């Protein structure tokens, strides 16, 4: 049940859209194409288990962890505050 000026199910639609955005963002960041046996950043061998789990991988776990910590994901504020709606 939605409140205010929203229709029934609007909150669930927002949740579904947020989850879908997260999944699509994660899929877009996954490697594609031909992978390598050695890391392109440090040159260390990439374990076979990683290469099988993530086809197309080109970095070892430590280098990928460093890359992931630098990624900034900009989301969509679907809730919005009253202040932002009044501007």
């Amino acid at each position: 049940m939605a409140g205010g000026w929203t229709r029934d199910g609007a909150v669930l639609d927002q949740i579904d859209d947020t989850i879908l955005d997260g999944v699509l963002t994660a899929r877009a960041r996954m490697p594609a194409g031909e992978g390598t046996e050695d890391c392109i950043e440090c040159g260390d061998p990439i374990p076979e288990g990683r290469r099988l789990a993530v086809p197309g991988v080109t970095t070892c776990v430590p280098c990928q962890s460093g890359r992931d910590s630098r990624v900034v994901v900009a989301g969509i504020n679907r809730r919005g505050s009253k202040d932002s709606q009044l501007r």
Side-chain angles (χ1 to χ4, degrees), residues 29-36 46-59 64:
R29 291 178 40 211
M30 289 187 69
E34 198 66 30
T36 60
I46 300 172
E48 182 180 1
R50 177 165 169 73
R51 287 185 280 125
L52 292 174
V54 186
V57 70
T58 58
T59 56
Q64 186 62 48

Side-chain angles (χ1 to χ4, degrees), residues 20-36:
L20 180 61
D21 286 346
V23 169
L24 293 176
T25 300
R27 284 184 182 164
R29 291 178 40 211
M30 289 187 69
E34 198 66 30
T36 60

